[in-house]
Structures are given as structure tokens and as C-alpha cells.
């Protein structure tokens, strides 16, 4: 550590500075990597110092970039905002597009630990000079700058995070490297000179990606819609992962992520929308609104439509691959090339059916050659003569009873086998999630450590079906004022002018979740907005918490710019119990349990997790019974949470798992 030279004051109010430091540990660590990339680093290393029980005690992010210039230090650490990157937008030597522009990224590192030290080595007057800058969580407005000294070696910067928080315990998990790979992939592919190591392992996109496609999407729009012109990059991976859609600027910088389920698609993939308009949407708050924003919804619909076409082609290619392999073994049931279009289509259909058998019956490849040849002949016979002969294949390959064969044959006329399996898997996953959720909410060792905003909130954003499949995410952690513009746009109301917006000061509250649905009532289109305020399991809902959502309701209902004619509102505060001073309001005569206030325009509810979970169980009960699905024991529910949300769970929830 250098000899202290001076202490400077950060020009921002403590509460605003505190807000900047509250982000997820993943985004905080990613921000440090982006800082290194912006500093024109070619080698970046993320390392962890561990204690004798393998717990993380320090996080070190080092790079070989140009470092922090001595002469710029006071300007960089003495104020927030107004970053020089906003003006230049590209790095001076390598001409890389900048990721940061707000001058806030370095403070996000406080989500990782209580003390941050930047050890910079920068070129000054022809020699490398080293100095350090230290910030403490308890003294966010003061930065200590060390005396520069001349040193040998190269330029660069090392960021050391000490006094680490409990939330960093899962950062050294293999899934974190995978998540980082997916987020940075498009940028690193466009800037191949950057090498990143994470806990000793190289972030190797080249070996992880099995297929890389870039589609040009052009849409003229209809009516008042402006044309959309963007690129869609599709990466297929060598390891299983759920599909997702990343929202990126034109340079591949990921600004947001949306889970993306594609029925019948078996390829592990990630899709990336690349457009300069995404940066504008992010800066203006449109991305945070999700499907409430017509532009976001249009981008998403265009991406999904093109992905469907892409994977339809991919599945045809896979079918061709299986057919070529069968030909190579000499057991392909067609002995000649197609003589006409009818025969060509017939063979293509056979190829798809054969590929489906290989996909859903992987053990089929282990059967002897004669058995497989016989199955292919049966399939060919069914396609040529009578589709009803497929019952032979069901009996020989799928081993179904006669009644099951008939039911499946009828069902496959209406849907695909892949869709049936996906539906059953969805129900199974939901049952496992409910089981795991009940455990983390009620198990004492976990519930006492479960955080509302950074853990429970982030988990629920991925499992919104819990509140009803009819709802769409409108936004999370966005103010009521941010929702107002899109609310009016969705309903076709005139936008508010700048002066009017500036005059609205009462909509600063930030509820946790905003869901919405659109429906027809008496032949007219209407909307429902569902506002949820979450509380930690340890917090019982009292008059204080009810008063909070009443305040939300009052501000919306009394604001003349929110529609009252075709929009209804439901405001809910949700926790694990009801306090004594609130029970009379929550259990009123002739009202559903939990309904505190009911009016034509809005309702106010105070609900417990038991009520929400029971309602979800009731919705799943019928199909669960028909599919004969059960959660074998509590370990199945916890394993689902650990696999999907390991990075969000308290350390106590990771016990007895290999995710810890």
C-alpha cells in the first residue's frame, strides 16, 4: 500500500451514493471486468483468496490495461457522473466501444465487500508509476489516494475487495463462469484480443460454442410503427442450458436478459438482440418495463419469430444428419433417390420421424443393428401405406398399452411429442419450486438469512407463474412514475409533455413487482395492474406495511394521468405472517381472507405466503394428478432451487450440495 498523500471528498449525497452500491454480486463483479475492458486490457484475471475452510476472504480483479492516470484520479473519484466515456464513447488506442458512461461502476463493487482498493500502474512522463486509491463502505464520501512511486513492469490495475459480504459465497461456483460467458459472448467474439480468467479457468467462448449464426432482421412496421432494423445473434452451446434472450447495444454489450422458452427446441442456446436502439431503451427505462413497452414487445416478438424459423431449419438439419448416419450403416429403408416431389417429401418426413426416435429414446442407438433396421422398415411402411400402422412402432419402440397408443395417436394429431414432454416437465419443475420455496420460507436456519430485495425478489422474477399464468411482468424495482408513460402508451392515450412530467413529483415510490394482464369484459378491452410489495419472511404484515401499499394505491388513484375507465389495480403486500394490529383488517366479515380494501378502481390485499402457495397448488392439482407427478422428498425441491438459483440463495440453503 502506498504512503497516503491526501483524502478527497466525493461530491454526492450519502443516500444517493448508498443506492448506487446496491446491485447483485454478479453485476458488481461484471462491472469490474467491464472497467478493465474499457481500460484497453487484453488480459483480465478474477481471483479469490480463501481461508482455511475454503471461504472467500478477498476478491482480486487484475488487468494489463492503461491503469488509472495519476492526474485523473481526483476527477474520477471526487465526483460521480459525467464520465469522459460519455463524450468519447470509444477507447483512444484500440478504438473499443466503451461499456460505462455514468461514472458509477466502481462504486457497485461495494455490493461485494466493505473496502475497495484500486492499485493502479500507469504510464507518466515515460515511466510506470504506481499508487493506490482506497474507499471504505463506512466512509463512502471519502477517498484516500496514495503517493505515486516509480516501479518496474507494465501498466495495469488491480482491484482488491476486502471485508467481503456473505452474498459472495457462491461466486466461485462453476455456474458463475458459465453465466459470465453467456453475458460477455457477443462482445468478446467481436473483440477477440481479450482474454479473461475466472478463478483459474479461462473464459473460452470458442470451445463452448458449437454454432454461431447472425441474422439480419428488418421490419417495416405497420400503421404508426417505425421500421426496426437489428441483428440477432444465435449461439448454440456444448452444455445444457435454458434458452434466454439478451438485450445488447450494437457492440454486443448485454444490458438486460429475458428467459426464453421455445417449445419443442432441444438445442441449448442463447440469443442476442444487437441494436443501438437497445441502449436508448435502457437509458430511458423502457427495458425495465418489459412487455409494458410496445417497442420492447415488438423486438421480442420479432426475435421469437425468427428463432422459430431458425430452429425449424436446425431440426431439419439434425434429421438429415441422422438419415446420413443410417445410410452409412446400410439400414436406410429407401434404396433410391426420390423420383418426384411426393417421394422427396415422404423421405423428409421419415428423416424427421427417425430423428425424433433417436432424440426421445437415446437407448435406441444401443440396440442391435437388425432391431433398428426392422424399426425403420415399420416406420417407412406406416408412412407409405397407412398412418394407422404406426401402432406397430408404438408397440415395438415405445412399449405402450393399446389404450395408451390410441390416446397418444389422437394427441399427436393436435400437438407434438416435444410439446407434451415440455408441458409435463414444466409442471414437474413448478411442483419442485413450490416445495423448495416452502422450505426457504419456513426453515429457521434459512429464513433468518433470506433477503427480500437481492434474493427472494430476484427468484420470484423468474417464477411469476406463482401469482397466475395470466400475468406478464411489467417491471421490477421501477418507480410508479416510470410506469406512467408506458401505461398511457399501452392504452393508446396521448403522451405527457415534458412540463407536465416535471410537475409530477408524487410518484417516486418503487414497489417490488408490477404484473399486468389484458382481457375482454363485455366485449371491451380492459387491463389489470398487479402491484406486489414483498417483505422478508421474518417481517409480519402490520398496519405499517398495509399503509405502505395504501400509499401506492392512493398515489395512483389520485393521479389524473392514470386511466380509470378500463384499468383496475390490485395492490398486495406479501409476507409470511400477519401481525396482531392488522388481523382485523385482513379478516373482515363477508370478504375473502386478505382483502383489506375494495373499490371499483382498486383493491388492497395483505396476503401470506401460505395463501399464495396454496392457490398455486390448487391450480396445478388436476394436471399433477393426471400426470402422476410427485415431489419425492424435500431434497428434490431444494435441489431445483440450488440448480437454478444457487447464486441467489443464502449460504445455509446450499448446505449438503455441490453448489456451495
Amino acid at each position: 500500500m502506498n504512503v497516503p498523500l491526501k483524502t478527497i471528498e466525493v461530491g454526492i449525497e450519502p443516500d444517493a451514493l448508498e443506492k448506487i452500491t446496491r446491485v447483485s454480486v454478479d453485476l458488481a463483479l461484471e462491472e469490474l471486468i467491464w472497467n478493465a475492458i474499457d481500460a484497453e486490457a487484453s488480459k483480465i484475471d478474477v481471483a479469490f483468496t480463501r481461508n482455511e475452510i475454503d471461504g472467500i476472504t478477498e476478491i482480486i480483479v487484475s488487468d494489463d490495461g492503461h491503469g488509472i492516470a495519476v492526474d485523473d484520479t481526483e476527477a474520477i473519484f471526487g465526483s460521480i457522473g459525467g464520465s469522459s466515456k460519455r463524450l468519447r464513447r470509444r477507447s483512444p488506442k484500440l478504438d473499443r466501444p466503451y461499456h460505462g458512461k455514468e461514472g458509477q461502476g466502481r462504486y457497485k463493487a461495494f455490493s461485494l465487500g466493505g473496502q475497495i482498493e484500486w492499485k493502479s500502474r500507469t504510464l507518466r512522463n515515460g515511466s510506470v508509476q504506481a499508487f493506490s486509491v482506497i474507499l471504505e463502505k463506512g466512509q463512502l464520501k471519502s477517498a484516500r489516494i496514495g503517493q505515486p512511486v516509480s516501479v518496474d513492469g507494465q501498466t495495469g490495475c488491480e482491484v482488491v475487495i476486502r471485508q467481503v459480504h456473505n452474498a459472495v459465497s457462491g461466486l466461485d461456483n462453476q455456474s458463475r463462469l458459465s453465466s459470465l460467458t453467456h453475458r460477455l459472448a457477443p462482445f468478446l467474439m467481436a473483440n477477440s484480443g481479450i482474454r479473461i480468467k475466472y478463478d483459474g479457468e479461462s473464459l473460452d467462448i470458442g470451445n463452448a460454442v458449437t454454432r454461431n449464426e447472425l441474422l439480419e432482421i428488418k421490419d417495416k412496421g405497420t400503421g404508426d410503427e417505425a421500421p426496426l432494423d437489428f441483428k440477432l445473434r444465435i449461439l448454440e452451446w456444448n452444455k445444457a442450458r435454458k434458452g434466454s434472450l439478451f438485450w445488447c447495444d450494437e457492440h454486443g454489450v448485454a444490458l438486460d436478459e429475458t428467459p426464453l422458452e421455445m417449445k419443442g427446441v432441444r438445442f441449448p442456446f442463447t440469443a442476442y438482440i444487437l441494436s443501438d436502439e437497445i441502449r436508448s431503451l435502457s437509458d430511458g427505462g423502457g427495458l425495465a418495463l418489459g412487455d409494458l413497452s410496445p417497442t420492447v414487445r415488438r423486438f421480442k416478438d420479432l426475435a421469437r419469430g425468427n428463432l422459430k424459423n431458425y430452429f425449424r431449419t436446425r431440426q431439419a438439419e439434425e434429421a438429415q444428419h441422422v438419415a446420413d448416419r443410417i445410410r452409412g450403416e446400410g439400414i436406410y429403408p429407401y434404396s433410391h433417390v426420390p423420383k418426384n416431389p411426393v417421394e422427396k417429401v415422404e423421405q423428409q418426413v421419415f428423416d424427421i420421424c427417425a430423428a425424433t426416435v433417436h432424440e426421445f429414446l437415446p437407448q435406441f442407438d444401443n440396440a442391435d443393428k437388425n432391431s433398428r433396421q426392422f424399426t425403420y422398415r415399420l416406420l417407412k411402411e406406416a408412412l407409405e401405406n397407412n398412418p394407422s400402422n404406426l401402432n406397430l412402432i408404438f408397440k415395438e419402440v415405445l412399449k405402450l398399452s393399446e389404450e395408451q397408443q390410441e390416446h397418444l395417436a389422437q394427441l399427436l394429431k393436435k400437438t407434438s411429442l416435444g410439446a407434451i414432454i415440455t408441458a409435463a416437465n414444466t409442471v414437474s419443475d413448478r411442483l419442485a419450486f413450490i416445495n423448495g420455496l416452502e422450505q426457504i420460507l419456513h426453515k429457521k436456519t434459512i429464513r433468518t438469512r433470506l433477503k427480500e430485495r437481492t434474493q427472494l425478489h430476484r427468484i420470484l422474477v423468474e417464477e411469476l407463474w406463482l401469482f397466475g399464468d395470466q400475468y406478464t411482468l411489467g417491471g421490477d424495482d421501477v418507480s410508479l412514475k416510470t410506469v406512467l408513460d408506458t401505461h398511457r402508451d399501452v392504452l393508446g392515450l396521448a403522451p405527457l409533455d415534458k412540463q407536465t412530467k416535471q410537475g409530477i413529483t408524487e410518484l417516486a415510490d418503487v414497489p417490488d413487482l408490477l404484473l399486468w394482464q389484458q382481457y375482454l369484459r363485455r366485449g371491451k378491452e380492459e387491463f389489470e395492474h398487479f402491484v406486489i410489495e414483498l417483505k422478508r419472511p421474518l417481517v409480519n404484515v402490520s398496519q405499517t406495511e398495509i399503509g405502505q401499499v395504501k400509499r401506492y394505491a392512493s398515489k395512483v388513484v389520485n393521479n389524473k394521468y392514470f386511466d380509470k375507465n378500463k384499468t383496475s389495480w390490485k395492490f398486495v403486500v406479501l409476507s409470511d405472517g400477519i401481525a396482531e394490529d392488522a388481523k382485523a383488517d385482513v379478516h373482515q366479515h363477508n370478504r375473502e381472507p386478505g382483502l383489506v380494501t375494495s373499490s371499483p378502481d382498486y383493491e388492497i390485499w395483505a396476503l401470506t405466503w401460505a395463501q399464495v402457495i396454496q392457490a398455486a397448488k390448487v391450480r396445478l392439482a388436476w394436471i399433477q394428478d393426471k400426470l402422476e407427478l410427485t415431489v419425492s422428498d424435500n431434497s428434490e425441491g431444494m435441489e431445483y432451487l440450488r440448480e437454478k438459483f444457487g447464486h441467489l440463495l443464502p449460504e445455509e440453503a446450499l448446505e449438503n450440495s455441490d453448489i456451495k
Side-chain angles (χ1 to χ4, degrees):
M1 185 182 298
N2 303 125
V3 177
L5 174 63
K6 59 181 176 180
T7 299
I8 61 173
E9 295 297 311
V10 181
I12 189 173
E13 291 304 312
D15 56 343
L17 196 55
E18 181 73 24
K19 184 177 180 180
I20 293 171
T21 66
R22 292 197 298 265
V23 297
S24 72
V25 293
D26 295 275
L27 290 179
L29 192 56
E30 184 182 332
E31 193 71 36
L32 293 176
I33 294 173
W34 277 116
N35 285 346
I37 292 174
D38 286 351
E40 300 191 317
S42 59
K43 295 179 182 178
I44 304 167
D45 185 44
V46 179
F48 304 100
T49 302
R50 297 174 172 85
N51 58 24
E52 61 277 5
I53 59 173
D54 215 28
I56 296 174
T57 58
E58 284 185 347
I59 302 170
I60 304 168
V61 181
S62 55
D63 67 70
D64 63 350
H66 53 57
I68 301 170
V70 176
D71 297 333
D72 295 340
T73 306
E74 191 164 341
I76 291 174
F77 288 92
S79 64
I80 291 182
S83 170
S84 60
K85 299 176 188 177
R86 180 186 292 274
L87 301 176
R88 291 200 299 262
R89 299 307 300 145
R90 300 187 80 89
S91 65
K93 293 182 180 179
L94 301 180
D95 196 38
R96 282 182 191 164
Y98 280 135
H99 167 266
K101 62 185 179 67
E102 302 294 341
Q104 301 177 0
R106 58 192 172 275
Y107 288 94
K108 294 177 182 177
F110 281 108
S111 293
L112 301 169
Q115 185 193 76
I116 319 294
E117 181 177 7
W118 287 262
K119 299 178 180 180
S120 177
R121 301 178 311 281
T122 185
L123 196 62
R124 188 186 192 198
N125 298 327
S127 65
V128 176
Q129 293 201 332
F131 69 100
S132 67
V133 180
I134 297 177
L135 286 173
E136 305 269 358
K137 180 78 170 183
Q139 297 176 315
L140 283 176
K141 289 202 66 177
S142 299
R144 287 180 285 149
I145 303 176
Q147 175 70 48
V149 296
S150 295
V151 296
D152 296 328
Q154 297 179 331
T155 61
C157 188
E158 181 177 280
V159 184
V160 183
I161 298 99
R162 304 183 181 94
Q163 301 170 21
V164 298
H165 304 318
N166 291 334
V168 309
S169 59
L171 279 178
D172 53 352
N173 183 267
Q174 181 67 29
S175 65
R176 279 343 215 288
L177 177 62
S178 175
S179 175
L180 195 61
T181 301
H182 298 142
R183 287 187 65 85
L184 297 179
F187 187 88
L188 295 182
M189 293 175 79
N191 297 270
S192 58
I194 301 172
R195 297 288 181 268
I196 299 176
K197 274 195 172 182
Y198 189 95
D199 198 20
E201 291 191 46
S202 294
L203 197 156
D204 191 347
I205 294 174
N207 287 332
V209 172
T210 60
R211 192 178 179 105
N212 172 19
E213 295 288 344
L214 186 64
L215 308 182
E216 296 278 352
I217 312 298
K218 297 181 184 294
D219 183 69
K220 296 180 180 179
T222 58
D224 295 332
E225 292 179 341
L228 276 186
D229 186 355
F230 64 95
K231 294 179 180 178
L232 182 68
R233 185 176 294 281
I234 307 167
L235 299 182
E236 296 180 27
W237 305 92
N238 59 9
K239 291 184 179 179
R241 68 159 277 128
K242 292 187 176 181
S244 59
L245 177 67
F246 281 95
W247 303 78
C248 309
D249 65 14
E250 70 272 31
H251 306 298
V253 177
L255 303 174
D256 204 351
E257 179 183 6
T258 301
L260 194 63
E261 292 187 7
M262 303 288 292
K263 291 183 178 180
V265 174
R266 63 183 181 276
F267 302 98
F269 78 95
T270 308
Y272 304 84
I273 292 176
L274 307 170
S275 170
D276 57 352
E277 192 167 343
I278 300 303
R279 174 70 69 177
S280 300
L281 277 171
S282 178
D283 292 345
L287 274 186
L289 293 174
D291 285 347
L292 273 177
S293 166
T295 304
V296 170
R297 201 163 59 240
R298 190 171 160 215
F299 266 112
K300 186 176 177 181
D301 289 344
L302 286 170
R304 180 180 285 276
N306 280 273
L307 282 168
K308 285 183 179 179
N309 293 335
Y310 169 80
F311 284 116
R312 191 178 295 118
T313 301
R314 286 286 290 118
Q315 286 167 330
E317 291 174 359
E318 288 289 296
Q320 184 63 48
H321 174 74
V322 171
D324 291 342
R325 193 172 67 182
I326 297 172
R327 287 190 183 94
E329 291 185 84
I331 56 176
Y332 193 72
Y334 296 90
S335 58
H336 61 275
V337 297
K339 298 177 180 178
N340 54 59
V342 174
E343 289 187 356
K344 182 178 181 180
V345 170
E346 183 182 300
Q347 290 192 24
Q348 288 174 340
V349 172
F350 169 84
D351 295 345
I352 293 172
C353 291
T356 302
V357 171
H358 282 260
E359 177 185 355
F360 293 109
L361 293 171
Q363 71 275 16
F364 182 70
D365 282 336
N366 298 325
D368 65 83
K369 186 176 179 179
N370 289 335
S371 296
R372 287 185 287 119
Q373 185 176 24
F374 174 66
T375 299
Y376 295 140
R377 286 178 177 174
L378 289 175
L379 181 56
K380 174 179 178 289
E381 178 188 344
L383 294 172
E384 286 182 344
N385 300 310
N386 192 331
S388 63
N389 285 341
L390 282 172
N391 68 330
L392 294 173
I393 298 172
F394 294 151
K395 183 178 293 185
E396 291 296 322
V397 181
L398 300 177
K399 303 297 183 183
L400 300 175
S401 68
E402 289 186 7
E403 184 179 11
Q404 289 172 324
Q405 291 175 33
E406 181 179 350
H407 289 166
L408 181 58
Q410 292 299 319
L411 193 58
L412 290 175
K413 293 178 180 178
K414 304 174 183 178
T415 186
S416 68
L417 186 57
I420 297 170
I421 294 173
T422 298
N425 189 62
T426 297
V427 176
S428 177
D429 283 351
R430 290 184 176 188
L431 293 171
F433 173 74
I434 287 175
N435 177 272
L437 179 63
E438 288 180 308
Q439 292 183 68
I440 66 173
L441 289 172
H442 300 140
K443 191 174 182 179
K444 185 176 180 180
T445 56
I446 300 176
R447 75 195 301 260
T448 56
R449 303 296 299 276
L450 187 64
K451 298 176 182 178
E452 171 262 314
R453 188 168 295 275
T454 59
Q455 294 176 332
L456 183 59
H457 180 151
R458 301 261 56 90
I459 290 171
L460 291 174
V461 167
E462 302 292 328
E463 303 280 356
L464 293 176
W465 60 267
L466 191 68
F467 302 104
D469 284 294
Q470 71 271 32
Y471 292 111
T472 298
L473 178 63
D476 67 286
D477 265 350
V478 296
S479 70
L480 295 174
K481 187 173 182 179
T482 303
V483 171
L484 178 56
D485 284 345
T486 302
H487 162 80
R488 294 181 64 83
D489 190 42
V490 169
L491 271 65
L493 301 175
L496 302 179
D497 58 64
K498 185 176 181 180
Q499 183 176 357
T500 301
K501 291 180 186 178
Q502 291 176 343
I504 300 174
T505 60
E506 71 277 13
L507 297 179
D509 287 295
V510 180
D512 291 315
L513 293 171
L514 172 66
L515 313 182
W516 69 284
Q517 66 162 318
Q518 181 178 351
Y519 57 95
L520 290 176
R521 177 183 292 176
R522 295 186 293 273
K524 294 183 179 180
E525 187 179 67
E526 296 192 9
F527 296 82
E528 179 192 10
H529 290 312
F530 186 6
V531 179
I532 302 173
E533 181 65 28
L534 299 171
K535 298 299 175 185
R536 293 184 64 192
L538 295 179
V539 177
N540 285 334
V541 176
S542 67
Q543 289 295 345
T544 300
E545 285 72 33
I546 292 176
Q548 185 178 2
V549 290
K550 282 185 175 180
R551 186 175 71 249
Y552 295 166
S554 175
K555 290 184 177 181
V556 169
V557 172
N558 293 323
N559 187 290
K560 63 183 179 180
Y561 300 111
F562 280 102
D563 168 73
K564 308 299 188 303
N565 294 323
K566 55 182 179 180
T567 305
S568 61
W569 293 79
K570 181 183 291 185
F571 298 86
V572 175
V573 58
L574 175 60
S575 193
D576 203 37
I578 305 297
E580 286 297 326
D581 67 344
K583 287 184 176 178
D585 282 346
V586 173
H587 302 288
Q588 299 183 46
H589 182 61
N590 291 333
R591 280 189 181 174
E592 290 183 59
L595 180 56
V596 176
T597 301
S598 179
S599 77
D601 297 324
Y602 69 96
E603 293 178 348
I604 294 175
W605 294 76
L607 297 176
T608 64
W609 277 112
Q611 290 172 282
V612 172
I613 290 174
Q614 180 58 29
K617 286 180 177 179
V618 169
R619 293 196 303 270
L620 291 171
W622 183 85
I623 192 168
Q624 176 187 357
D625 178 65
K626 296 302 179 183
L627 291 174
E628 300 180 356
L629 288 173
T630 59
V631 177
S632 56
D633 55 43
N634 286 341
S635 64
E636 184 177 339
M638 286 304 299
E639 197 56 39
Y640 175 84
L641 291 186
R642 289 165 180 158
E643 181 179 341
K644 187 172 181 180
F645 303 111
H647 60 292
L648 296 174
L649 294 174
E651 184 176 359
E652 291 74 9
L654 300 178
E655 292 176 358
N656 302 320
S657 82
D658 57 6
I659 293 181
K660 185 177 178 182

